[in-house]
Amino acid sequence: MIDREHAPTIPVPSSSVAVRGASAAPVTTRDAIAREEAWGAHNYHPLDLVIAEARGAWVTDVEGRRYLDCLSAYSAVNQGHCHPRLLQTLVDQASRVTLTSRAFRNDQLGGFCEELAQLCGMEMVLPMNTGAEAVETAIKAARRWGYRTRQIPDGEAQIIAFEHNFHGRTTTIVGFSSEPAYREQFGPFAPGFVLLPFGDIEAVRRAMTANTCAVLIEPIQCEAGVLLPPAGFLRALSALCAERGVLLMADEIQTGLGRTGALFACDHDDVVPDLYILGKALSGGFYPVSAVVARREVLGVFDPGSHGSTFGGNPLGCAVAREALRVLRDERLIERSATEGAWLLEQLRTLRHPAIAAVRGRGLMCAIELTVAARPFCEALQKRGVLCKETHGTVIRLSPPLVVERRDLEWAVAQLRAVFHDAVGT
Ligand SMILES: *Cc1c(COP(=O)(O)O)cnc(C)c1O
């Protein structure tokens, strides 16, 4: 049951009351799911609700039920769903020019690169579209940098990554995943990656060779279950990389841009990596925009013809991303993430249930680890109007949009309490 009194915090425009499909017949949950199952590839296992519209931290399904979104499209909608300023920017830019390709220049790309580089304290930006493409870009940059500046023999560069990583779904990237489901029967895989336990600095020290060009790390492993590195690990890793002349590449696609209560998750450890890899919230959920941000010495290895993307750096994406970054600042979303996240974590720590093994988080990236499957709990929460998705089987991740109101979080905590209370006897 949804608490109607608390549910709608943001008015739903009256123009969008009736939700209609292409056939003009109203779409029902049953019908939408049946069609998707019949015609779509089954590479996901979504919760069975069909979202028709969304605003801020709330979404509405085709039957008009409202839910508090506690996933935020894996932190892509940190700015909240359908942010009015992003919507306006998208419409304005879409009515001028959307795509030029990089064969010609456009009037948004330069400003986007300048603003993003300055935000990151870096010198250069290479724009792409999806997160996985930005990770691929970082891999290419690191290898070429290694051949040119470290005289690693061509074809022998090695990159260190960590067990339980999640960096995307391309064949190169899943090749160095430790998750069997991501890899099974997708090989052969690209060589040149070494996988080490997350948080083991001595293992990194031992694994580094003259051919190691980079270390690729998520400063918090979100998909793996919101795993924070041991205290001091990121700093030690950063120092070790500097000492050995190895690039530290921080995949902040999910943790970056305010999610953890700081601009970057690396900030919590006072670590500045050599490359930031960004995506998801970079465009506030409107449009896929990703980027690698680094010093000139690193991204300068690309010359014309060495890398590219038809849509990368397009004016529509750049305009939306520039506005998405301004919204982060203007609405103080990073500060909100820190204060609301600290409050939420404190509340989660008061939950009592024998299946709760741990509660952890940073900013509005929180998680409840269970000793049992998390899916039934996510389904029970869905029935109560709270949307979250299990990750790694036993972890409930809670990462609402950073615009979420305190009273919405209070309401969500009440639903969590009820779900765990109901589950006691079962
Ligand atoms: C989501 C994610 C990616 C992949 O991004 P896509 O846009 O799905 O390709 C890579 N790294 C991390 C840490 C992510 O969370």
Side-chain angles (χ1 to χ4, degrees):
M1 250 261 307
I2 298 171
D3 181 342
R4 295 276 160 192
E5 211 181 82
H6 282 86
T9 48
I10 292 156
V12 178
S14 57
S15 63
S16 54
V17 179
V19 176
R20 295 190 177 274
S23 63
V27 173
T28 65
T29 297
R30 253 182 81 134
D31 180 51
I33 291 173
R35 284 180 170 181
E36 185 184 323
E37 290 298 303
W39 296 95
H42 296 176
N43 56 327
Y44 277 91
H45 181 30
L47 290 178
D48 280 339
L49 78 151
V50 180
I51 295 169
E53 52 191 59
R55 198 57 51 102
W58 291 83
V59 305
T60 307
D61 76 5
V62 288
E63 270 105 22
R65 287 178 287 254
R66 291 173 58 80
Y67 305 83
L68 182 66
D69 181 359
C70 287
L71 182 66
S72 308
Y74 303 102
S75 298
V77 289
N78 284 358
Q79 295 86 342
H81 289 278
C82 296
H83 193 289
R85 279 175 55 182
L86 300 188
L87 177 61
Q88 194 59 54
T89 301
L90 182 92
V91 169
D92 288 350
Q93 184 62 46
S95 62
R96 285 200 293 273
V97 59
T98 56
L99 183 62
T100 56
S101 85
R102 298 284 302 273
F104 312 119
R105 298 181 192 263
N106 72 69
D107 65 359
Q108 294 297 316
L109 177 59
F112 167 70
C113 292
E114 178 181 8
E115 288 154 22
L116 183 58
Q118 285 178 350
L119 180 74
C120 298
M122 292 285 183
E123 295 168 338
M124 266 190 172
V125 170
L126 198 159
M128 296 293 281
N129 312 284
T130 64
E133 287 173 309
V135 173
E136 292 275 355
T137 301
I139 292 168
K140 286 168 87 170
R143 286 177 173 170
R144 189 173 261 194
W145 176 88
Y147 299 134
R148 290 200 179 166
T149 67
R150 290 263 319 279
Q151 280 81 47
I152 295 172
D154 196 18
E156 290 180 28
Q158 292 218 321
I159 294 174
I160 291 172
F162 295 94
E163 289 166 4
H164 308 298
N165 69 69
F166 183 82
H167 296 291
R169 300 293 200 159
T170 63
T171 48
T172 291
I173 293 171
V174 299
F176 60 88
S177 169
S178 57
E179 176 65 47
Y182 299 169
R183 297 166 50 90
E184 230 165 69
Q185 300 184 333
F186 294 137
F189 299 116
F193 298 94
V194 178
L195 218 52
L196 302 176
F198 184 65
D200 186 344
I201 191 68
E202 288 313 315
V204 180
R205 200 185 302 280
R206 282 194 303 272
M208 278 184 177
T209 70
N211 290 346
T212 307
C213 65
V215 172
L216 173 62
I217 189 168
E218 299 154 86
I220 296 175
Q221 291 188 324
C222 298
E223 295 308 300
V226 189
L227 303 181
L228 286 87
F233 174 68
L234 286 179
R235 275 203 74 85
L237 184 65
S238 167
L240 181 59
C241 285
E243 181 194 315
R244 301 286 180 93
V246 168
L247 297 178
L248 180 61
M249 310 200 289
D251 180 346
E252 294 252 15
I253 290 170
Q254 190 162 161
T255 51
L257 305 177
R259 174 47 63 187
T260 69
L263 178 60
F264 297 115
C266 283
D267 296 352
H268 294 291
D269 295 86
D270 284 322
V271 163
V272 178
D274 296 292
L275 282 88
Y276 287 109
I277 307 171
L278 304 176
K280 294 202 166 110
L282 187 49
S283 60
F286 271 83
Y287 198 90
V289 179
S290 66
V292 174
V293 191
R295 295 189 308 277
R296 190 170 309 279
E297 174 208 345
V298 179
L299 279 179
V301 301
F302 290 111
D303 41 18
S306 59
H307 194 47
S309 159
T310 303
F311 279 81
N314 73 75
L316 186 58
C318 287
V320 171
R322 296 173 77 180
E323 192 68 6
L325 295 177
R326 288 187 204 112
V327 166
L328 272 187
R329 184 195 60 207
D330 294 349
E331 300 190 7
R332 302 182 60 78
L333 294 183
I334 300 169
E335 294 84 346
R336 282 189 60 88
S337 177
T339 55
E340 298 311 296
W343 181 87
L344 179 61
L345 196 59
E346 193 181 297
Q347 295 297 306
L348 297 180
R349 290 206 162 114
T350 68
L351 293 172
R352 290 287 170 265
H353 188 271
I356 297 179
V359 167
R360 57 178 170 261
R362 209 161 248 177
L364 277 171
M365 173 57 76
C366 296
I368 304 170
E369 181 169 343
L370 305 177
T371 56
V372 297
R375 179 83 182 194
F377 288 87
C378 293
E379 287 169 356
L381 284 165
Q382 177 198 338
K383 289 203 181 76
R384 293 181 159 273
V386 176
L387 293 185
C388 31
K389 183 70 166 48
E390 77 277 6
T391 184
H392 221 73
T394 57
V395 178
I396 305 173
R397 170 176 31 194
L398 291 156
S399 53
L402 309 185
V403 297
V404 68
E405 301 280 347
R406 172 68 62 87
R407 63 195 172 123
D408 294 338
L409 290 176
E410 284 168 358
W411 178 80
V413 169
Q415 306 316 307
L416 277 159
R417 260 187 231 297
V419 161
F420 282 110
H421 184 265
D422 291 350
V424 165
T426 61

